[in-house]
Amino acid sequence: MIGFLGLDVGSVSTNLVFLSEKGRVLESVYLRTNGRPIQAVQRGLRQIQGLLPPKTVIRGVGATGSGRNLAGIIAGADVIKNEITSHAVAANRMVPGVRTVLEIGGQDSKIIILRDGVVVDFAMNTVCAAGTGSFLDQQAARLNIEIENFGELALKSRAPVRIAGRCAVFAESDMIHKQQMGYDLPDILAGLCEALVRNYLSNVGKGKDISAPVVFQGGVAANRGMKAAFERALQTEVIIPPHFDVMGAAGAAMLARDFVSRGAPTRFKGFGAAEAGFEAGSFECGGCPNLCEVVEIREEGSVIARWGDRCGRWSVRAARENIS
Amino acid sequence: MKVTFPHMGHLWICLKAMLEYLGVDTVVPPPSTRRTLDLGSKHAPEFACMPLKLNLGNFMEASEMGADTILMAGGCGPCRFGYYAQVEYEILKDLGYNYRLVVMEPPEKRISELLSRIRQITGNRSWLEVIRGIKFGYRKARAVDELEMSAMRLRPREIIPGQTDAALSAALDEIAGAGRPEDLPEAVERAEEIMRGVAWENRPAIRVGLVGEIYTLLEPFANLDIERKLGRLGVEADRSIYLSEWVNDHLFMGLVRGIRSSRLYKKSAAPYLRHFVGGHGQETLGGAVYYKNLGYDGVIQVLPFTCMPEIVAQSILPGFSRETGTPVMTLIVDEQSGDAGLVTRLEAFVDLLAEKRRGKERLA
């Protein structure tokens, strides 16, 4: 089999997909980053290799997510792309004609506006963590329900309670108040979904022209309560694409497929990269009082990349070619 | 008397020149760094904007170097900055610093108001000397601005990555090093020579206009080096405010002719915002229209978290963007030093602009 790999290394989860020659997602792996992105990428490579037939040939690799540079170096990526572009590409190919992409992940959320298949506007949450997956996780844990059951329970609500969604702290104290008043759990959960949707629309979606078709993706799209709350707020159908939870990785793989179709050989290091000895170290640069923490990635002992310096004294200067 | 002042980009080059020409002992605070911000945030009110925290840190670091007098700009109106000089002075007093404070309020009617404030620092120098000193500082500001402009044109086109920034820093040293007005023309000549030494090739660059709040636009530490980051992404940037233009508008009341002025922005902002809303809110809208008219690909607004005038402008920009089809992105800066989020947004915005330009070229 011949195909392409996409890696999305986020703060909470690391996802990999295998894309067929025709550009369809055939396999995907979703795992927790657990603060150790190198190990997560290596584990992911091992897992996806296990899902593929033995003689699979990887023609191209794309990396995205906040850990994209790291992932790109470990696996040997042909394309290293920011997550906004990657998500937009995947949404547009899976739901042709999409005009709005709502994406809520573990640690951030974004909105992407497309017209005729081209991104014309976007926003990412900047100053607020309310309305992301980790907050839902945390509340589910506090109420002692499995996050997987959160959505189903919320759907049972007939009268969602009003919860302040502007700030995670306000939301939590409001929820505790409502729970102690004796409101039903499904009503509180549905109220929380509505609060998060309100927060998202007025914070991330502020001033954006949201029109159908609307696609909802990212890990939180698994929560049916959130989908229903979006549909109520937007008064339109919200589409959840297949592979909604690995769209970033899918987009990166699609971009890699486009890239190598121009005739470039892949830089993929092979699945052996999963077993290679990578080490990340850091040191404090004493060149000026900024005291930047410079990260150093070593492969079998020799330095292959450095970053984290403000002035560019240490970093490998490869940024420009990664972008264009 | 040892005079210090807050940092704002390369403001120090022109203030130092002016003060030293007038025989005033000057202490330039160390460049704003992580330490400056840590010192400032520790003692500033939490909800104040980032410029206050950095100013405070600058004064604390300058005091370690022996400064005893603060020279600072004032202002009045909806932007809180006008009151920062007094607030910072009170905080420093509470912390036991013995600073003397001289606030340069922008002159309301006559330039003589400014001159009399400057004399508080310069003592018995003749008026002619004071005016010569101001002129010297202003000419340096202009020289610095022109070097920055040429760096912004060069960065996306340089052949060896990083060469432009190395040249810029060497060229700025030349300007800063010119001790007397008569040395300046030669220093400018040498600085330009250094910039001409940057090897470049003619490649098309995406053009982005930076608009927003003056401090975060001018201070690379505050905006996480946005101009350099854009340059590395192959973008030619320009910003709506340069030091010399600001000085001419606000301190000289537009005396110098033939350079860009905020009056232009006020006029071009008219379809969207016809009122002063404090700070540079109106200029932000005006700048956006200005760049659109020049055919720029997009506009980025930069502001410190909680900046009221810029929040007003931010809420009007989507309307401008819709009507004119100009992509606009807003970046809010605060104490965070991790720049991964900023880089992601910049890359995505540049992708968007590049895609839009390709679309246009296909139609043409």
Side-chain angles (χ1 to χ4, degrees), chain B residues 107-121:
Chain B
E108 285 175 11
K109 292 202 184 71
R110 273 179 292 275
I111 196 148
S112 59
E113 292 175 57
L114 173 71
L115 296 178
S116 74
R117 283 182 201 119
I118 290 176
R119 282 203 99 171
Q120 287 184 26
I121 297 252

Side-chain angles (χ1 to χ4, degrees), chain B residues 18-54:
Chain B
M18 179 187 101
L19 293 170
E20 288 186 345
Y21 176 81
L22 294 168
V24 180
D25 242 349
T26 308
V27 175
V28 177
S32 291
T33 58
R34 198 66 232 163
R35 177 170 186 263
T36 318
L37 187 57
D38 287 345
L39 282 173
S41 332
K42 190 171 166 195
H43 300 290
E46 179 271 330
F47 51 85
C49 70
M50 191 190 192
L52 184 139
K53 297 171 185 178
L54 284 171

Side-chain angles (χ1 to χ4, degrees), chain A residues 31-45:
Chain A
L31 29 92
R32 296 254 161 186
T33 309
N34 289 334
R36 283 184 287 278
I38 296 180
Q39 284 84 333
V41 169
Q42 293 189 314
R43 241 179 329 129
L45 283 172

Side-chain angles (χ1 to χ4, degrees), chain A residues 276-279 296-304:
Chain A
F278 289 99
E279 272 171 74
E296 200 171 69
I297 311 295
R298 289 167 182 271
E299 182 178 2
E300 306 297 345
S302 59
V303 176
I304 52 169

Side-chain angles (χ1 to χ4, degrees), chain B residues 67-305:
Chain B
D68 58 21
T69 303
I70 291 171
L71 179 65
M72 179 143 169
C76 60
C79 167
R80 296 181 282 180
F81 179 82
Y83 201 54
Y84 277 5
Q86 278 80 8
V87 173
E88 288 159 9
Y89 175 68
E90 289 297 327
I91 294 172
L92 289 168
K93 214 163 66 181
D94 287 348
L95 292 173
Y97 288 87
N98 262 324
Y99 262 122
R100 195 178 140 218
L101 174 71
V102 179
V103 186
M104 308 270 255
E105 299 290 346
E108 285 175 11
K109 292 202 184 71
R110 273 179 292 275
I111 196 148
S112 59
E113 292 175 57
L114 173 71
L115 296 178
S116 74
R117 283 182 201 119
I118 290 176
R119 282 203 99 171
Q120 287 184 26
I121 297 252
T122 59
N124 291 331
R125 301 267 154 178
S126 75
W127 281 122
L128 190 65
E129 281 295 284
V130 171
I131 288 171
R132 278 193 188 136
I134 296 175
K135 220 172 130 189
F136 183 38
Y138 177 76
R139 280 169 54 211
K140 279 205 178 184
R142 197 66 209 146
V144 166
D145 288 347
E146 273 163 17
L147 291 176
E148 289 197 315
M149 288 179 206
S150 76
M152 286 199 263
R153 279 191 301 271
L154 281 169
R155 273 190 202 107
R157 300 182 174 93
E158 65 188 4
I159 291 168
I160 306 158
Q163 204 190 4
T164 307
D165 283 301
L168 177 64
S169 120
L172 288 170
D173 284 347
E174 290 290 344
I175 304 295
R180 297 171 307 170
E182 51 271 35
D183 301 335
L184 189 54
E186 269 183 44
V188 170
E189 189 45 53
R190 282 195 302 275
E192 285 171 352
E193 191 57 47
I194 294 171
M195 295 308 283
R196 274 195 294 273
V198 176
W200 60 283
E201 60 192 3
N202 198 359
R203 46 175 172 237
I206 297 283
R207 291 198 301 166
V208 169
L210 297 170
V211 300
E213 188 273 334
I214 181 169
Y215 184 91
T216 43
L217 275 183
L218 294 190
E219 177 57 58
F221 179 78
N223 62 37
L224 298 165
D225 265 322
I226 190 169
E227 289 172 14
R228 269 206 219 179
K229 289 196 166 92
L230 284 170
R232 282 183 206 164
L233 293 175
V235 171
E236 179 182 333
D238 187 38
R239 63 174 125 83
S240 58
I241 305 173
Y242 286 91
L243 191 58
S244 57
E245 293 166 359
W246 181 83
V247 168
N248 185 37
D249 278 334
H250 292 85
L251 298 179
F252 300 172
M253 306 184 82
L255 227 54
V256 181
R257 300 284 165 195
I259 68 165
R260 206 166 57 175
S261 147
S262 64
R263 257 170 293 188
L264 168 86
Y265 295 138
K266 279 182 189 137
K267 217 181 279 170
S268 54
Y272 303 99
L273 184 56
R274 276 173 297 280
H275 294 277
F276 177 66
V277 293
H280 293 84
Q282 206 179 0
E283 281 95 331
T284 294
L285 258 311
V289 175
Y290 169 82
Y291 286 119
K292 185 223 108 199
N293 290 340
L294 285 180
Y296 273 61
D297 297 277
V299 171
I300 298 179
Q301 181 200 20
V302 185
L303 61 133
F305 189 40

